[in-house]
Amino acid sequence: MEITTFIIARRDKALLVGDYSLYRQQLARRLLVRVIMSIKLFAHLLLLSAERAWAFAMHMKSTHAADTSAKGITGSTKSHVVSRLRKATTYASHLVKLLQEMDNDGALTQPLLEAQAYQQSLQGALSFEKGDWEKCLQSYAETHLLYTALAQSRGPKQDEVFKDLLSNTIDPRIRYAAYQMKLPRTMSIEVIVQRYIPRDDNSFVKEVLRLHPQLLQESGTAGRKNVAGDLADVPRKMTWRSRTVNLEDATTAQALASVAAAETRLRSFLAANQASNRRAKAAAYDDVLLPSQDAVDATKTAIDELTAEGVPQGDPRMQALQITKTAVNYNLVEWRVGRNRVLCGDQDGAKFESEPIKQSKKPRADGKPREEQEESNGRKLTRLKERIVLYDSIIQSVDSVKDFPGVAADQVFMRELDGKKAYFSSLRCLAIARSHMLHGNKRNALALLSRALDLSSQTVSSSSFGKLAAEGVPKLDIRPAETDSLKDLLERSVLQHRALVELENLTSAKSQNSFKPTPMIQRLDEYPPDGVHLTNLVTYPPKLQPVPVKPIFLDVAWNYIDYPGRPKKGASTAADGNIGEAESKQEPKKEAKKGWFGFGR
């Protein structure tokens, strides 16, 4: 480094445009810039050192977590992990102090808030490994508050970064620490933060709450909104067939609250749009199916967590979750079945009427109005196939309920499920019978209708039909009016098709009687594959028919027809006339032969 050149060059440059005072001010500004640059470099050095220590601790923890033979992290390894986290926390504390010294006015800048949130997250991780759950909750509660404030003050892109950090790292640690402290599972993350955040001796928390006083107010009631957007309570209990259990898992309780809100919206929509087509009504069910599936997933996650912790099946918490699992799964099946019933049409598809065909809006060339066309059989068969697929899906959903925990032991409920399955199986047979009728197979249609009538007699209406009738929302429950209407329709259809089949039998018998085969005496050279009809042996009374007479004279024309190769009778007689005459003179005359046809005795 050339010191003399450095000094002379800067002195001469400053004295050319001013005096020593200007030179002093220039040096002060350059010195401040260098100090600031050095402070930033030192801040990055502290941040990198803290991250290196934290990464070393997480590496040791993940290595031992993958080793299934060891019983967790114990002994010196545990102490080493705690030591690394303590070192990372120390570096983060120095970073906070350094940034506080840079801000002489005492204002909370964004880097300072981020540094404090980072330091508290490391402090929470240290307390987590040491098993100090109360301090862990306090540290993570402050981290949650600071990151929430930063998310509200930043843009959409950085907002997602803070939200992902909260949902993937901070909130699961808060939930686990709350479980270790035996806090109710219905207590949400926001309520835990509000309860355990340090407010007395923490300047950061006081300043953040002064700038954002709505954070804790929103946290106390977050996630509890009803249909109109107002605040409502999350359910704390659930009743399933005379069994009432507590909802200890907060995620499941919030999901059930969302399901209740979606059900209210669906009822309002169906009441206000009764004239809408069935596809629009079925689409409205999707808003209920999604939160219902979330409730099922949340319950399954809660059961998996307890199973991973080694909680036995006989534990009251596990028993309550199993009942909740059955209830939420059955609720999901009910809404799926209700959606399919809406798609089937009026009276669950028992009525089948021709749909109008859309006419072209363009006028005809001759100016005459277009005539309404009847729906073709092909389109009718397509609609029947769609209904059969829906019935199959409903029957499969009803069968899946029998596999839920505790259902097989409830004999009354099993009989109710069998009755509901019989109802939809009867509708399925009715749809198949109609397709056979379109093909002209009356006998097959009659057999299917008879089977549908037998199944309809096994149908059992739901015990909650009164509530269902008041709500007007189709689900898995069946009203008595629906079963009676289906049974009446099937009885009339069976009688109608019996008459049609009987008419068909009479018509076919009459056509068979009009044809009389040849009597057996005239078909002796044929083998009767259908057996001998004793009533058709001969024709009686006999009819006048031609018969062959004297068949031996049929060849008398031989002497009078000139066949090819045979000599003519006249020539032979003339040539042999003399010889025959002489011989006749010499021979004696013989007696004439007597008898039939020239054969005498």
Side-chain angles (χ1 to χ4, degrees):
M1 183 176 182
E2 298 179 356
I3 299 176
T4 306
T5 305
F6 178 81
I7 294 173
I8 297 301
R10 278 159 178 76
R11 286 180 180 178
D12 292 342
K13 184 178 179 180
L15 293 175
L16 285 176
V17 295
D19 54 3
Y20 294 102
S21 177
L22 180 61
Y23 182 47
R24 182 182 64 82
Q25 294 176 2
Q26 291 179 354
L27 293 176
R29 286 195 297 269
R30 292 183 63 86
L31 182 60
L32 180 59
V33 172
R34 292 301 179 90
V35 170
I36 293 174
M37 292 177 61
S38 63
I39 291 176
K40 289 183 178 179
L41 292 175
F42 186 60
H44 281 87
L45 179 62
L46 291 174
L47 186 60
L48 293 174
S49 300
E51 280 294 290
R52 183 181 65 174
W54 176 83
F56 191 15
M58 294 299 104
H59 169 69
M60 289 188 294
K61 187 176 179 180
S62 61
T63 302
H64 285 76
D67 187 7
T68 57
S69 61
K71 296 182 180 180
I73 304 176
T74 57
S76 60
T77 305
K78 184 73 172 181
S79 301
H80 202 178
V81 172
V82 172
S83 175
R84 293 297 93 189
L85 289 175
R86 184 181 292 110
K87 189 174 183 179
T89 305
T90 303
Y91 283 129
S93 300
H94 292 330
L95 177 62
V96 174
K97 293 179 181 179
L98 178 62
L99 294 177
Q100 283 178 332
E101 293 176 356
M102 291 178 60
D103 299 330
N104 296 326
D105 54 354
L108 288 180
T109 61
Q110 180 178 338
L112 183 57
L113 283 177
E114 293 186 16
Q116 178 65 14
Y118 176 67
Q119 189 269 338
Q120 287 299 319
S121 66
L122 294 177
Q123 182 64 42
L126 176 61
S127 302
F128 188 91
E129 296 298 331
K130 293 170 64 176
D132 192 349
W133 304 115
E134 185 173 1
K135 290 185 178 180
C136 177
L137 279 180
Q138 292 176 358
S139 298
Y140 278 128
E142 182 177 352
T143 305
H144 187 281
L145 180 68
L146 295 178
Y147 278 133
T148 304
L150 288 169
Q152 292 184 358
S153 60
R154 302 296 292 271
K157 294 184 179 180
Q158 294 182 349
D159 182 15
E160 294 296 330
V161 174
F162 292 125
K163 287 183 178 180
D164 292 341
L165 181 61
L166 286 172
S167 60
N168 297 331
T169 305
I170 307 301
D171 291 350
R173 295 294 184 91
I174 294 176
R175 180 63 64 189
Y176 186 79
Y179 169 75
Q180 293 294 336
M181 293 187 66
K182 308 298 182 182
L183 296 179
R185 288 178 176 266
T186 54
M187 186 179 296
S188 63
I189 297 294
E190 291 78 10
V191 176
I192 297 174
V193 170
Q194 185 183 19
R195 179 179 297 185
Y196 285 92
I197 190 169
R199 307 185 190 185
D200 298 334
D201 56 349
N202 195 312
S203 59
F204 288 96
V205 174
K206 292 180 180 180
E207 188 65 19
V208 169
L209 293 179
R210 186 183 66 83
L211 297 176
H212 303 280
Q214 74 280 4
L215 289 179
L216 291 183
Q217 295 176 2
E218 294 176 354
S219 300
T221 54
R224 303 179 180 182
K225 295 185 177 180
N226 60 11
V227 185
D230 300 331
L231 301 179
D233 292 334
V234 175
R236 299 185 180 275
K237 292 184 179 182
M238 167 176 279
T239 302
W240 163 251
R241 295 188 66 84
S242 73
R243 297 182 182 90
T244 303
V245 295
N246 296 324
L247 297 175
E248 297 184 357
D249 185 68
T251 307
T252 304
Q254 292 176 359
L256 290 175
S258 300
V259 173
E263 290 179 5
T264 306
R265 290 195 296 270
L266 177 61
R267 295 190 196 98
S268 302
F269 175 81
L270 294 179
N273 300 272
Q274 295 182 359
S276 300
N277 56 14
R278 62 177 184 270
R279 297 190 181 276
K281 294 180 181 179
Y285 276 76
D286 294 339
D287 296 336
V288 183
L289 290 174
L290 293 177
S292 299
Q293 185 64 52
D294 293 340
V296 172
D297 296 339
T299 307
K300 183 179 181 301
T301 302
I303 293 176
D304 294 341
E305 290 177 356
L306 290 182
T307 303
E309 295 169 7
V311 177
Q313 293 294 328
D315 189 89
R317 293 174 296 171
M318 184 67 76
Q319 291 292 325
L321 283 176
Q322 291 291 349
I323 295 175
T324 305
K325 178 182 178 181
T326 302
V328 296
N329 277 278
Y330 182 73
N331 188 44
L332 178 61
V333 169
E334 280 191 316
W335 288 114
R336 286 177 178 172
V337 171
R339 181 180 182 274
N340 291 337
R341 291 178 69 180
V342 170
L343 287 174
C344 289
D346 296 337
Q347 297 184 4
D348 299 326
K351 289 185 177 181
F352 186 74
E353 299 176 352
S354 299
E355 292 185 351
I357 300 177
K358 295 182 179 180
Q359 301 289 341
S360 177
K361 296 182 179 180
K362 295 181 179 180
R364 294 178 51 174
D366 54 3
K368 296 181 180 180
R370 296 184 179 272
E371 298 180 357
E372 295 185 0
Q373 298 180 357
E374 186 179 357
E375 186 180 13
S376 62
N377 289 343
R379 293 189 61 180
K380 291 180 180 179
L381 289 173
T382 302
R383 292 199 290 124
L384 287 173
K385 289 179 181 178
E386 293 176 355
R387 289 190 182 183
I388 294 171
V389 172
L390 293 173
Y391 293 140
D392 289 337
S393 178
I394 293 174
I395 294 172
Q396 184 179 2
S397 299
V398 174
D399 287 335
S400 66
V401 176
K402 300 179 181 179
D403 298 330
F404 294 164
V407 172
D410 193 344
Q411 297 298 327
V412 177
F413 187 50
M414 289 290 290
R415 288 195 297 269
E416 185 178 346
L417 290 177
D418 292 337
K420 293 176 180 178
K421 180 181 177 181
Y423 173 77
F424 293 107
S425 299
S426 177
L427 288 170
R428 181 179 182 272
C429 291
L430 176 60
I432 299 176
R434 283 169 172 163
S435 65
H436 280 280
M437 279 300 299
L438 292 176
H439 284 293
N441 300 327
K442 298 181 179 63
R443 290 183 176 86
N444 295 344
L446 177 59
L448 288 166
L449 289 173
S450 178
R451 174 59 179 167
L453 183 59
D454 294 340
L455 290 172
S456 66
S457 62
Q458 304 173 12
T459 302
V460 179
S461 60
S462 176
S463 58
S464 60
F465 66 91
K467 179 181 178 181
L468 180 65
E471 294 177 353
V473 180
K475 293 172 68 175
L476 187 53
D477 297 327
I478 303 172
R479 304 184 184 92
E482 294 173 343
T483 59
D484 296 341
S485 175
L486 177 62
K487 190 174 181 180
D488 181 65
L489 174 64
L490 290 174
E491 288 177 351
R492 289 186 282 106
S493 298
V494 168
L495 292 176
Q496 178 186 4
H497 284 76
R498 279 178 181 172
L500 292 175
V501 171
E502 187 65 24
L503 288 175
E504 186 178 11
N505 292 336
L506 293 175
T507 304
S508 61
K510 184 177 181 180
S511 61
Q512 290 179 1
N513 294 333
S514 62
F515 173 75
K516 192 172 184 179
T518 307
M520 187 66 187
I521 188 125
Q522 300 180 19
R523 295 183 290 110
L524 295 177
D525 57 337
E526 299 178 3
Y527 177 76
D530 299 333
V532 179
H533 298 281
L534 300 179
T535 59
N536 194 27
L537 295 177
V538 295
T539 303
Y540 186 84
K543 298 179 179 180
L544 183 63
Q545 295 178 351
V547 296
V549 179
K550 300 180 180 179
I552 199 168
F553 291 114
L554 294 178
D555 203 26
V556 295
W558 169 266
N559 299 324
Y560 303 98
I561 299 175
D562 295 334
Y563 293 98
R566 179 183 176 187
K568 296 183 178 180
K569 183 177 180 181
S572 60
T573 303
D576 299 334
N578 298 328
I579 298 174
E581 186 178 353
E583 290 179 354
S584 62
K585 291 180 178 180
Q586 295 177 0
E587 294 179 358
K589 187 176 181 180
K590 298 180 180 180
E591 296 181 358
K593 295 180 180 180
K594 298 179 181 180
W596 292 94
F597 308 117
F599 300 102
R601 289 172 287 184

